[in-house]
Amino acid sequence: MNLFEQFQRLANAYFLILLFLQLIPQISSLAWYTTVIPLIVVLSITGVKDAIDDVKRHQSDKQVNNRSVLVLMNGRVEEDKWMNVQVGDIIKLENDHPVTADILLLSSSEPCGLTYIETADLDGETNLKVKQAISVTSEMEDNLELLSAFNGEIRCEPPNNKLDKFSGVLTYLGEDYFLGHDKLLLRGCIIRNTDWCYGLVIYTGPDTKLMQNSGKSTFKRTHIDHLMNVLVVWIFLALGAMCLLLSIGHGIWESHKGYFFQAFLPWQRYIVSSATSSALVFWSYFIVLNTMVPISLYVSVEIIRLGNSYYINWDRQMYYAPKNTPAQARTTTLNEELGQVKYVFSDKTGTLTENVMIFNKCSINGKTYGYSYDANGQCVPGSPNDKVDFSYNQLADPKFSFYDNTLVEAVRNEDRFVYLFFLCLSLCHTVMSEEKVEVRTPENRVMLFCKGADTIIYELLHPSCASLSDVTMDHLDDFASEGLRTLMVAYRELDSAFFQKWIKKHSEACLTLEDRERKLTLVYEEVESNLMLLGATAIEDKLQSGVPETIFTLSKAKIKMWVLTGDKQETAVNIAYACRLFKDEMDGVFMVEGTDRESVLQELRSARNKMKPESLLESDPINIYLARKPKMPTRVLDETPNGDYGLVISGYSLAYALEGNMELELLRTACMCKAVICCRMTPLQKAQVVDLVKRYKKAVTLAIGDGANDIGMIKAAHIGVGITGHEGMQAMLNSDFSFSQFHHLQRLLMVHGRWSYNRMCKFLSYFFYKNFAFTLVHFWYAFFNGFSAQTVYDTWFITCYNLIYTSLPVLGLSLFEKDVNETWSLCYPELYEPGQHNLYFNKKEFIKCLIHGIYSSFVLFFVPMGTIFNSERSDGKDISDFQSFSLIVQTTLIWVMTMQIALRTNTWTIISHAFTWGSLGLYFCVLFFLYSDGLCLMSPSTFQFLGVARNNLNQPQMWLCLILSTVLCMIPVIGYNFLKPLLCPVNVDKVLNRIHFCLKHPLPPTVKTKAKHPGLRRSAYAFSHKQGFGDLITSGKTLKSKAFKTNKKFL
């Protein structure tokens, strides 16, 4: 199977066909082993690599599939393997055990069938969630007889990827029971604080919600991969053209000379005319010139990428000790792409920030809490002396710091609004865009508590809260200007009769299977109105260390950064200034907040008019280009604005901007800005924005995030980077590279990415050059041998050239080369620019390699030809024979290739010296071995160059030819490298000159930047939430006391 997959590659299939051609004696001009040996080696290396990957995957799958699970079978709990679990099985889970499949919770060791779970691998939430079995099954507890007799029927929705949605109905003992996601334990969860629980398997394997969220992984190929495919096609065409030209030459020669020379060189019986001979020679030259497409190219590329991937894994400066998390290259195919990134798309929470929420301030009934004041009543920063003493509370977190005693006093004084405020927080204590809980108080009052984003809660408030809401909104502005995350808190007391009618409607909506979500939404809207405002919270989420410095470095490298977040606009802007994405000295920051297509279009064009007024004229080159395209263009060129600008656009406006032709308006406007903030975005919109830039810009995109909602954009980008933070492992598992801190990104790109790109470009340039120089010698030789497809070299030299003689030096160059060290790479981000424009290897550079190869092959053929033509040894013997000529050409070729790679090497290590000069020495060792008397006498037909090495290597003509050819081949390279920076310098040449000058002096101090925190910017925002324990705590379902049993039937 592996061989079948390998032969699906064009190059491998080409060499297999070539092997079959070599088995045809009428056209075979080379021995079969010249192709078989390299092909076997390449297939073996690739096969071993694939086998290692398969073994790792198999071991990982085996580890998961063979995990033990307790299954109820025949009235007993027996141990089985995960892989054997099927839908309908009843399994037992114990504390700290992972959930095997998506299961319906039946019963547990906790009161009322409660089970506590940790869902970090699913949604990133680190706090515990609670699930509760329905009462009819929770009463079975751990009675194996009752559990074995359970014969309920479940009708539920088909498998899907919605983690917080589940709809089903259990029919048991003639009754129907609604099943929601609060009754389901999902695969990937961990059982916590629960001794045991039993569950019925609903979904297994790929049907589980965890696997449904994994998505389809597309194979990502680099820009250089696509370029190589194009160049290989070019080489095929050139190869065909040369074979055609030489076959025509052979036909002409045979017609004018060969036909009359048959007395000495008779035609074979199957040759009936010069045309027949010409057709056969075409295929003979196709075999001789096959090394134009080097068989070892692809396997060498894989080895290089694998080695550079290990450098990332081994980088201790990208290791995060607090979590014992190293950087990880999860793919080995995108290394050089890291050195070409032009656009970075980043999530905010958990990526730029720490995602550690700390209660900082609050507003309750129009009064703010959390500020420190001096004796004069002036607000001052909190000091350790002002820290509130929570020692009286044994449950208080000793790490928590608060500096306002008035809030503690209000709690002690049992202030009604403060009490309701914290009651709401205790019930709705995890977060989503809106969270609500209905409870019945000990006084038999029904209360609805809501907490959520101000944009949502504000619309639900009672008219009497108008003045209080204005004051609270001002407080939200103050909190947001400090970069704090904000939520509004409100409540409503429900009439008992209204609640009874409403709960009946709710139950009916819950039990329906068709259009349940819409019906539930309508029911919820009835109760979510006329809320009374309590106040707002302000939570601190600090920036990660090194974020401003990293963004500053990326900016100097001309990498544009877009922040794609679900947070509120004002907060996103504030964070942008805090991390230096936006700067005070910018010429302007545009806000796109339109609520319809026309207003969004107008705002985008207004921004573009300010940045580049001529871009709106019909005479603008890009407008002319777009007008000529009847369909959507494949590429939109970059435009240069007249200053530095930023753009902020909301998800609502983005919905219009991503429609039809509007997306080009958005793209042109956004790409002229230094930085872009897209807020209030859905996961789908994140992926759409990344895909928009990817489709129309000839640039490499990178997306970085830490949550499950970032998976879409991580997969959409050319390169996906996952942050292994507080939001679970989903982003990391779907990424190409992963690490723990955002500031590691600059090292990934500036050091590893740039080195990988430079190494790959040097490898390809040299690899194509050495094969052109090697192969095209046959072309020149054809004019001297009647176009007979005779080879210049010994067949063993052809076999070993790419496989042994020149493989190690180029691998050493590709794995250890550094034009500058990592310190200079980080100090001068400008060095990154060539990769963004692909300056080091492109079609133009390929043509240079071809021309250089043609010139070198010309020198390598005609200098030895002129050297030994009619020449004699010192003893008077003739050395103008084919074998002597072949030895001189191939020895000179090896010397030239060795000196060429030495000239391209900037960093010399022991390994580099060993590979470069060791390969040269290895050539002479193999040469004397293959031309030894023993081998030649043992198999004269295979080893035909008896004594040629020792008879020619001691001749001065040999060494004169070698030195002269090497000098002639080196002069163009040395001259080009010397004159290019002088006559046509680019920015990177100037930077390198500066570095070379600085190497003679002490290193400059590390560039440091200070984050600016403007104090007057409005920025308030909410963040995502999950349902809390409110309905359980207040209902009494967590206790077995009979006092609570009368209140069981409410939400």
Side-chain angles (χ1 to χ4, degrees):
M1 181 61 71
N2 182 264
L3 285 177
F4 176 75
E5 291 180 359
Q6 289 199 55
F7 282 121
Q8 287 183 331
R9 293 181 178 179
L10 181 61
N12 290 345
Y14 162 73
F15 281 100
L16 183 63
I17 295 172
L18 192 68
L19 174 61
F20 290 136
L21 292 176
Q22 286 182 280
L23 297 177
I24 303 174
Q26 288 80 4
I27 63 174
S28 179
S29 51
L30 285 175
W32 58 270
Y33 53 80
T34 59
T35 298
V36 169
I37 294 177
L39 183 61
I40 290 176
V41 172
V42 168
L43 294 178
S44 299
I45 293 176
T46 306
V48 169
K49 176 182 175 294
D50 292 342
I52 293 174
D53 292 339
D54 289 340
V55 168
K56 289 181 179 178
R57 282 192 293 267
H58 180 71
Q59 289 175 343
S60 178
D61 293 341
K62 185 177 180 181
Q63 181 182 6
V64 173
N65 291 332
N66 289 334
R67 287 178 180 174
S68 62
V69 61
L70 299 176
V71 183
L72 181 61
M73 293 186 293
N74 302 321
R76 295 183 302 172
V77 175
E78 298 182 2
E79 187 173 303
D80 204 345
K81 297 179 179 180
W82 273 33
M83 60 190 298
N84 297 327
V85 173
Q86 299 179 356
V87 173
D89 287 346
I90 294 178
I91 63 176
K92 179 181 180 180
L93 299 172
E94 297 179 336
N95 192 36
D96 296 332
H97 282 198
V99 178
T100 310
D102 292 352
I103 66 174
L104 171 67
L105 181 60
L106 296 178
S107 62
S108 78
S109 60
E110 300 305 298
C112 301
L114 299 181
T115 297
Y116 301 94
I117 59 172
E118 180 183 289
T119 61
D121 283 349
L122 292 176
D123 56 18
E125 297 287 345
T126 54
N127 55 302
L128 297 184
K129 311 292 191 306
V130 65
K131 301 289 184 177
Q132 185 176 24
I134 56 179
S135 57
V136 70
T137 61
S138 65
E139 295 172 353
M140 293 188 293
E141 297 185 342
D142 60 347
N143 189 316
L144 299 184
E145 184 177 348
L146 293 177
L147 289 168
S148 299
F150 178 73
N151 61 349
E153 177 184 312
I154 295 177
R155 288 169 292 142
C156 61
E157 61 191 10
N160 58 70
N161 62 354
K162 298 178 181 179
L163 296 175
D164 58 347
K165 303 290 183 182
F166 176 74
S167 179
V169 173
L170 168 65
T171 302
Y172 181 55
L173 300 179
E175 297 288 335
D176 289 340
Y177 301 90
F178 164 67
L179 303 177
H181 74 279
D182 60 321
K183 305 293 189 294
L184 201 67
L185 302 183
L186 301 181
R187 177 179 176 178
C189 299
I190 306 293
I191 304 297
R192 301 294 190 197
N193 299 343
T194 305
D195 292 335
W196 52 263
C197 66
Y198 286 88
L200 177 69
V201 176
I202 304 294
Y203 304 122
T204 62
D207 292 339
T208 60
K209 292 184 180 291
L210 175 66
M211 299 302 293
Q212 290 281 315
N213 269 279
S214 297
K216 294 183 179 180
S217 298
T218 58
F219 182 71
K220 297 181 178 180
R221 302 187 67 88
T222 67
H223 285 68
I224 287 183
D225 280 332
H226 293 294
L227 177 60
M228 278 200 304
N229 290 337
V230 173
L231 298 181
V232 168
V233 173
W234 284 12
I235 293 173
F236 273 125
L237 295 176
L239 176 61
M242 283 196 299
C243 292
L244 180 61
L245 177 63
L246 295 176
S247 65
I248 293 173
H250 176 77
I252 296 172
W253 189 89
E254 287 287 355
S255 299
H256 291 79
K257 293 186 179 181
Y259 180 79
F260 304 101
F261 209 62
Q262 293 187 53
F264 301 96
L265 291 174
W267 286 0
Q268 298 291 337
R269 284 180 293 179
Y270 51 81
I271 302 295
V272 296
S273 66
S274 60
T276 305
S277 180
S278 176
L280 294 176
V281 164
F282 174 88
W283 294 107
S284 297
Y285 269 114
F286 192 80
I287 295 173
V288 171
L289 302 177
N290 74 83
T291 47
M292 286 280 286
V293 184
I295 190 173
S296 57
L297 173 63
Y298 291 98
V299 70
S300 299
V301 168
E302 290 185 8
I303 293 173
I304 293 166
R305 286 173 172 168
L306 181 64
N308 287 317
S309 296
Y310 278 114
Y311 289 149
I312 297 174
N313 298 339
W314 294 337
D315 192 341
R316 295 196 61 82
Q317 295 193 45
M318 296 176 69
Y319 169 75
Y320 188 58
K323 291 186 179 179
N324 190 28
T325 306
Q328 185 178 6
R330 298 178 51 80
T331 179
T332 60
T333 60
L334 302 175
N335 301 74
E336 69 271 13
E337 199 94 317
L338 290 170
Q340 299 180 271
V341 174
K342 182 67 176 180
Y343 290 90
V344 170
F345 300 90
S346 174
D347 179 39
K348 185 186 72 64
T349 304
T351 303
L352 301 179
T353 63
E354 293 181 348
N355 198 19
V356 177
M357 310 303 167
I358 301 174
F359 184 83
N360 190 282
K361 295 178 179 65
C362 64
S363 171
I364 304 177
N365 197 31
K367 182 179 180 180
T368 59
Y369 298 92
Y371 291 101
S372 295
Y373 300 92
D374 59 14
N376 299 323
Q378 298 294 321
C379 183
V380 295
S383 66
N385 296 330
D386 300 327
K387 184 178 177 180
V388 176
D389 183 11
F390 290 105
S391 59
Y392 68 90
N393 186 354
Q394 296 181 353
L395 300 179
D397 186 352
K399 298 179 182 179
F400 176 62
S401 299
F402 198 73
Y403 301 95
D404 190 353
N405 277 291
T406 58
L407 181 58
V408 178
E409 293 173 0
V411 173
R412 287 177 172 175
N413 295 333
E414 299 183 355
D415 182 287
R416 178 175 179 269
F417 292 103
V418 173
Y419 170 77
L420 290 175
F421 180 85
F422 281 106
L423 177 60
C424 178
L425 295 186
S426 65
L427 299 175
C428 310
H429 63 82
T430 54
V431 268
M432 54 189 177
S433 57
E434 181 192 6
E435 182 180 9
K436 54 189 175 295
V437 59
E438 294 169 1
V439 300
R440 190 184 298 272
T441 67
E443 295 82 14
N444 204 32
R445 295 159 56 198
V446 179
M447 305 284 290
L448 168 69
F449 289 100
C450 287
K451 181 183 71 172
D454 58 292
T455 53
I456 297 177
I457 302 298
Y458 185 84
E459 300 296 330
L460 306 177
L461 295 178
H462 192 277
S464 63
C465 298
S467 59
L468 177 59
S469 64
D470 290 340
V471 174
T472 305
M473 290 300 290
D474 289 338
H475 293 166
L476 285 175
D477 292 345
D478 295 336
F479 297 153
S481 66
E482 302 176 34
L484 301 177
R485 311 185 69 175
T486 58
L487 292 171
M488 264 190 172
V489 180
Y491 78 101
R492 177 186 177 186
E493 186 170 348
L494 303 177
D495 177 76
S496 180
F498 169 80
F499 178 71
Q500 293 301 324
K501 293 181 181 179
W502 181 87
I503 199 68
K504 183 178 179 181
K505 293 181 181 179
H506 182 267
S507 299
E508 293 174 353
C510 286
L511 289 174
T512 184
L513 285 178
E514 296 182 0
D515 203 14
R516 176 185 291 172
E517 293 299 324
R518 187 185 66 84
K519 293 179 179 179
L520 284 174
T521 300
L522 294 175
V523 172
Y524 288 138
E525 287 178 354
E526 292 184 21
V527 74
E528 295 172 4
S529 61
N530 295 324
L531 300 180
M532 303 303 295
L533 180 61
L534 285 172
T537 61
I539 308 300
E540 182 180 21
D541 185 13
K542 294 181 179 179
L543 283 177
Q544 292 183 14
S545 63
V547 168
E549 292 81 1
T550 299
I551 292 178
F552 178 74
T553 300
L554 297 180
S555 177
K556 289 189 67 178
K558 296 186 178 180
I559 296 175
K560 293 185 177 182
M561 185 166 173
W562 296 20
V563 175
L564 312 181
T565 177
D567 283 333
K568 194 174 178 180
Q569 176 174 303
E570 292 82 358
T571 300
V573 172
N574 182 271
I575 293 296
Y577 277 100
C579 64
R580 298 208 66 190
L581 194 59
F582 287 170
K583 301 177 183 178
D584 292 328
E585 55 268 25
M586 274 185 165
D587 297 289
V589 175
F590 305 109
M591 302 287 182
V592 179
E593 303 171 305
T595 57
D596 54 60
R597 188 180 185 280
E598 289 71 22
S599 60
V600 172
L601 178 61
Q602 180 61 35
E603 290 175 347
L604 290 173
R605 290 190 172 179
S606 176
R608 207 161 84 242
N609 181 58
K610 185 175 181 181
M611 291 188 288
K612 187 181 180 183
E614 59 270 23
S615 66
L616 297 176
L617 302 177
E618 293 183 1
S619 58
D620 181 70
I622 294 183
N623 289 332
I624 295 174
Y625 167 75
L626 295 176
R628 291 176 178 173
K629 294 287 183 179
K631 298 181 180 180
M632 295 299 251
T634 57
R635 181 187 176 191
V636 177
L637 299 176
D638 291 334
E639 300 177 81
T640 304
N642 54 24
D644 292 343
Y645 297 92
L647 177 69
V648 179
I649 183 170
S650 67
Y652 193 85
S653 301
L654 203 61
Y656 294 102
L658 290 172
E659 293 180 352
N661 293 331
M662 283 281 288
E663 64 180 11
L664 291 180
E665 295 286 346
L666 170 65
L667 183 71
R668 293 182 64 183
T669 304
C671 289
M672 277 196 278
C673 298
K674 285 287 185 181
V676 178
I677 304 294
C678 300
C679 48
R680 295 296 199 193
M681 298 184 73
T682 65
L684 177 60
Q685 285 180 323
K686 290 185 177 184
Q688 288 176 328
V689 169
V690 174
D691 184 66
L692 175 65
V693 177
K694 184 179 176 181
R695 277 187 288 127
Y696 292 119
K697 288 292 181 180
K698 190 179 180 181
V700 177
T701 59
L702 181 148
I704 179 171
D706 70 320
N709 60 336
D710 301 318
I711 292 176
M713 72 171 184
I714 286 175
K715 288 186 174 182
H718 291 101
I719 303 171
V721 178
I723 299 288
T724 52
H726 294 277
E727 293 198 25
M729 305 293 289
Q730 290 302 300
M732 185 272 287
L733 292 175
N734 288 275
S735 66
D736 304 306
F737 302 89
S738 65
F739 41 73
S740 288
Q741 294 288 290
F742 180 81
H743 69 82
H744 292 155
L745 181 63
Q746 65 174 324
R747 188 169 178 84
L748 182 70
L749 300 183
M750 301 297 116
V751 178
H752 294 288
R754 203 182 70 82
W755 282 349
S756 295
Y757 171 73
N758 290 358
R759 290 165 178 165
M760 184 60 71
C761 291
K762 282 194 172 186
F763 163 78
L764 292 174
S765 297
Y766 175 79
F767 204 92
F768 282 120
Y769 160 72
K770 76 181 181 70
N771 280 280
F772 290 153
F774 167 71
T775 306
L776 293 178
V777 171
H778 294 297
F779 181 82
W780 306 118
Y781 186 49
F783 291 90
F784 293 85
N785 63 17
F787 304 95
S788 61
Q790 183 182 10
T791 60
V792 177
Y793 312 110
D794 172 24
T795 53
W796 282 108
F797 180 81
I798 296 174
T799 304
C800 299
Y801 178 72
N802 278 313
L803 198 63
I804 299 176
Y805 299 148
T806 60
S807 59
L808 289 181
V810 72
L811 286 178
L813 177 74
S814 306
L815 292 175
F816 305 107
E817 170 64 5
K818 301 177 184 177
D819 55 346
V820 295
N821 60 31
E822 60 191 58
T823 303
W824 294 113
S825 296
L826 294 172
C827 285
Y828 292 96
E830 298 89 344
L831 292 170
Y832 190 80
E833 186 177 352
Q836 296 171 326
H837 303 287
N838 199 21
L839 296 181
Y840 289 159
F841 189 77
N842 47 45
K843 294 175 182 177
K844 181 179 178 181
E845 293 298 318
F846 174 78
I847 297 298
K848 291 180 182 178
C849 294
L850 177 60
I851 294 173
H852 189 199
I854 293 173
Y855 168 78
S856 297
S857 67
F858 185 87
V859 171
L860 289 168
F861 177 78
F862 284 101
V863 170
M865 174 68 76
T867 301
I868 70 168
F869 184 71
N870 289 333
S871 62
E872 296 179 348
R873 292 157 47 108
S874 57
D875 57 4
K877 293 182 180 179
D878 187 17
I879 61 171
S880 298
D881 62 279
F882 165 73
Q883 292 186 342
S884 298
F885 174 70
S886 176
L887 176 65
I888 294 175
V889 173
Q890 63 192 37
T891 304
T892 304
L893 174 65
I894 293 297
W895 267 97
V896 169
M897 293 302 110
T898 302
M899 298 309 297
Q900 288 282 359
I901 205 164
L903 192 63
R904 296 166 187 254
T905 303
N906 293 304
T907 303
W908 285 96
T909 64
I910 295 177
I911 298 178
S912 300
H913 282 291
F915 281 4
T916 302
W917 311 119
S919 294
L920 184 60
L922 179 64
Y923 163 73
F924 285 102
C925 293
V926 174
L927 182 70
F928 281 105
F929 173 73
L930 293 177
Y931 296 174
S932 63
D933 296 347
L935 284 180
C936 293
L937 293 175
M938 182 176 63
S939 181
S941 61
T942 304
F943 304 95
Q944 301 174 352
F945 282 52
L946 176 62
V948 175
R950 64 172 179 266
N951 291 334
N952 285 276
L953 291 180
N954 60 358
Q955 298 300 312
Q957 295 96 326
M958 165 78 178
W959 296 103
L960 173 64
C961 173
L962 188 149
I963 295 172
L964 182 59
S965 299
T966 303
V967 171
L968 290 175
C969 288
M970 299 296 289
I971 286 177
V973 180
I974 296 174
Y976 179 82
N977 292 340
F978 176 76
L979 295 176
K980 183 178 177 294
L982 296 178
L983 302 178
C984 302
V986 293
N987 290 337
V988 69
D989 293 327
K990 299 174 183 178
V991 175
L992 290 173
N993 290 336
R994 198 183 317 158
I995 291 174
H996 295 153
F997 175 79
C998 291
L999 286 174
K1000 303 177 183 179
H1001 303 81
L1003 291 176
T1006 305
V1007 177
K1008 294 184 179 180
T1009 59
K1010 293 184 178 179
K1012 296 183 179 180
H1013 300 277
L1016 298 177
R1017 290 194 174 83
R1018 183 181 187 279
S1019 175
Y1021 60 105
F1023 45 106
S1024 77
H1025 305 256
K1026 293 291 180 183
Q1027 183 180 357
F1029 302 152
D1031 52 346
L1032 299 171
I1033 297 173
T1034 55
S1035 67
K1037 289 187 178 182
T1038 56
L1039 303 174
K1040 288 191 174 182
S1041 173
K1042 294 182 180 180
F1044 290 96
K1045 289 188 177 180
T1046 58
N1047 297 326
K1048 289 173 66 176
K1049 295 183 179 181
F1050 56 78
L1051 296 178

